[in-house]
Amino acid sequence: MDRIDRHLLSALQIDSSRSLADLAEEVGTSTSGCQRRIKSLEAAGLIMGFSARLDPQRLGLKLQAFVEITLNSQSREAMDRFEQAVEDFDDILECHLMAGSADYILRIAAHDLEQFDRIHRDCLSRLPGVSSMRSSFAIRTIKRWRGYPTR
């Protein structure tokens, strides 16, 4: 991966809807060269796909919750059951296996506390092998995720 590839990855993370000609001009290559580089980065697994970043506030998702999960057991079977169950619930936006006091951290978005209560009752409480849950709520987002550093 050279300087142009890194610049291209940064530019795509900012706005992947830009035209190839615009991207090529920014990174200093031809349009066909830019397209070849993007295809190569996709084939190498560096680019996993393209998507739109949505504004949760405009979607009415005013509550962001982070839920720390501790399991009864850290056996492979218990973790596999938990992770499979997480995949079945669209209300769980992200799930991270952690090192530290919690086994997992989940990210949930909801319209309000009433909807979070429904998600808690209908989704989180059904996750297998959970011994404890601790929820924290974001008051305000200070810095939004803008992509990975490519340096």
Side-chain angles (χ1 to χ4, degrees):
M1 198 166 68
D2 63 11
R3 177 191 57 80
I4 293 174
D5 288 338
R6 287 191 295 278
H7 191 161
L8 186 56
L9 289 172
S10 291
L12 286 169
Q13 286 186 100
I14 292 167
D15 183 2
S16 65
S17 69
R18 296 165 60 186
S19 71
L20 276 173
D22 186 34
L23 284 168
E25 183 178 334
E26 180 178 330
V27 302
T29 189
S30 67
T31 302
S32 60
C34 184
Q35 185 174 29
R36 275 193 306 276
R37 283 175 180 270
I38 291 171
K39 294 295 179 199
S40 175
L41 292 166
E42 287 178 296
L46 284 158
I47 297 175
M48 299 186 322
F50 296 92
S51 62
R53 284 181 285 166
L54 306 179
D55 183 337
Q57 293 288 321
R58 290 182 186 253
L59 291 171
L61 299 169
K62 299 185 185 303
L63 186 129
Q64 296 283 320
F66 299 89
V67 182
E68 296 179 3
I69 302 284
T70 303
L71 298 182
N72 292 321
S73 166
Q74 284 76 36
S75 71
R76 176 176 273 294
E77 295 79 19
M79 293 171 73
D80 286 347
R81 275 193 306 277
F82 176 83
E83 291 170 12
Q84 265 184 328
V86 163
E87 291 288 343
D88 293 337
F89 291 106
D90 292 337
D91 288 317
I92 299 173
L93 304 179
E94 293 180 67
C95 175
H96 301 273
L97 176 63
M98 304 299 292
S101 60
D103 294 319
Y104 294 91
I105 291 185
L106 311 179
R107 186 169 72 87
I108 310 288
H111 294 284
D112 52 27
L113 280 173
E114 188 175 316
Q115 185 185 24
F116 180 79
D117 179 49
R118 182 194 57 75
I119 293 168
H120 191 277
R121 290 171 184 270
D122 296 343
C123 169
L124 301 178
S125 68
R126 294 183 178 176
L127 294 171
V130 174
S131 70
S132 69
M133 256 186 268
R134 191 171 92 188
S135 300
S136 299
F137 299 96
I139 295 170
R140 178 169 50 100
T141 300
I142 308 305
K143 180 179 178 181
R144 293 201 184 281
W145 185 80
R146 290 177 243 167
Y148 294 104
T150 58
R151 298 179 211 78

